[in-house]
Amino acid sequence: MVLSLAHGPVNVMDTALLRHMTETFTALAAEQPAGVVLTGADYLAEFLPALSEALHTVFTFGRPVVAAVNGHAIAGGCVLACCADMRLMATGKGRIGVREFKVGVPFPRVPLEILVHAVGAKVAGRLVLSADTLTPPDALAVGLVDEVVEPGELLERAVAAATELATASPPDTFALTKAQLRRDTVERIARYRVDEDPEVARVWAAHQSDGWIAAYLASVTGKG
């Protein structure tokens, strides 16, 4: 039997992984396999499709979704917020944006289209190519968030916004209207991801191997 370890980009041996390993081998003891081979999973090959599917599922969810951003929302966190029907962000030091371009990796089609849907093609292009992260007021100015709220009021306001959306019309009306508004985006995703995403994965892997990603991370963390 082959067991593949897949726990984050470096298979870090944290408490969650160790507990899962204990549970797995306890279960295997009852099965009594002839032997066990431990190996690392191809994290990238699994991560990118899983990321796309998760974002696609949230984006196409047929009921109201409100994002309450209470700190930094960078890269995937930013795109996850963009899946929502409404985005609220707390005042303070939190920043929001997409850094992938400077990291050296391209976007899979799903997150790219979600970003375009949220802010429009022109602003999305500027956010992607500049790789800037924005303060709450700047994010509000470009439409990346819909409201800026005091931290102590964020969750209450988000719940109120979700309730307002949920009660404004019957559920089936909301679901159909939301699907109509997002239909072009969903269709573009289906059209382009088939041939684009394998190339995205290839480029990600290339820049993992050539050191670009590591060099960028070292430059921003000071850990060269």
Side-chain angles (χ1 to χ4, degrees), residues 1 3 20-36:
M1 175 176 290
L3 291 181
H20 184 66
M21 194 179 301
T22 299
E23 293 169 0
T24 300
F25 274 83
T26 299
L28 285 175
E31 299 177 18
Q32 296 186 339
V36 176

Side-chain angles (χ1 to χ4, degrees), residues 67-69 71 73 78 81-82 86-90 95-97 118-119 127 134-149:
V69 181
C78 174
C82 288
M86 187 174 185
R87 296 174 294 282
L88 313 180
M89 189 172 184
R95 299 180 76 90
I96 185 170
V119 297
L127 291 172
L134 307 181
T135 64
D138 288 341
L140 180 64
V142 300
L144 190 54
V145 299
D146 299 297
E147 291 183 21
V148 174
V149 183

Side-chain angles (χ1 to χ4, degrees), residues 132-216:
D132 288 336
T133 57
L134 307 181
T135 64
D138 288 341
L140 180 64
V142 300
L144 190 54
V145 299
D146 299 297
E147 291 183 21
V148 174
V149 183
E150 290 298 320
E153 302 172 1
L154 179 64
L155 189 57
E156 181 180 356
R157 174 65 190 118
V159 170
T163 302
E164 290 167 12
L165 286 171
T167 57
S169 67
D172 54 354
T173 300
F174 181 91
L176 179 56
T177 301
K178 182 172 179 175
Q180 289 174 316
L181 290 170
R182 300 184 176 211
R183 179 174 177 173
D184 287 347
T185 299
V186 171
E187 290 183 351
R188 281 196 303 273
I189 287 171
R191 186 181 314 131
Y192 296 125
R193 68 183 298 190
V194 175
D195 61 346
E196 282 188 2
D197 282 5
E199 181 66 4
V200 168
R202 184 194 69 77
V203 175
W204 273 59
H207 293 312
Q208 279 185 327
S209 299
D210 67 15
W212 181 287
I213 296 174
Y216 173 79

Side-chain angles (χ1 to χ4, degrees), residues 7-110:
H7 189 62
V10 293
N11 277 326
V12 62
M13 297 286 283
D14 63 7
T15 303
L17 178 60
L18 294 173
R19 287 176 176 166
H20 184 66
M21 194 179 301
T22 299
E23 293 169 0
T24 300
F25 274 83
T26 299
L28 285 175
E31 299 177 18
Q32 296 186 339
V36 176
V37 174
L38 286 173
T39 186
D42 184 347
Y43 173 78
L44 188 60
E46 296 183 1
F47 171 73
L48 290 179
L51 172 67
S52 291
E53 289 309 312
L55 293 171
H56 191 277
T57 300
V58 177
F59 184 71
T60 56
F61 184 67
R63 300 296 292 133
V65 177
V66 175
V69 181
N70 57 4
H72 295 307
I74 310 297
C78 174
V79 179
L80 180 59
C82 288
C83 291
D85 301 293
M86 187 174 185
R87 296 174 294 282
L88 313 180
M89 189 172 184
T91 59
K93 296 182 179 180
R95 299 180 76 90
I96 185 170
V98 286
R99 304 302 301 268
E100 283 82 350
F101 188 71
K102 285 186 179 177
V103 175
V105 296
F107 280 79
R109 176 52 64 167
V110 172

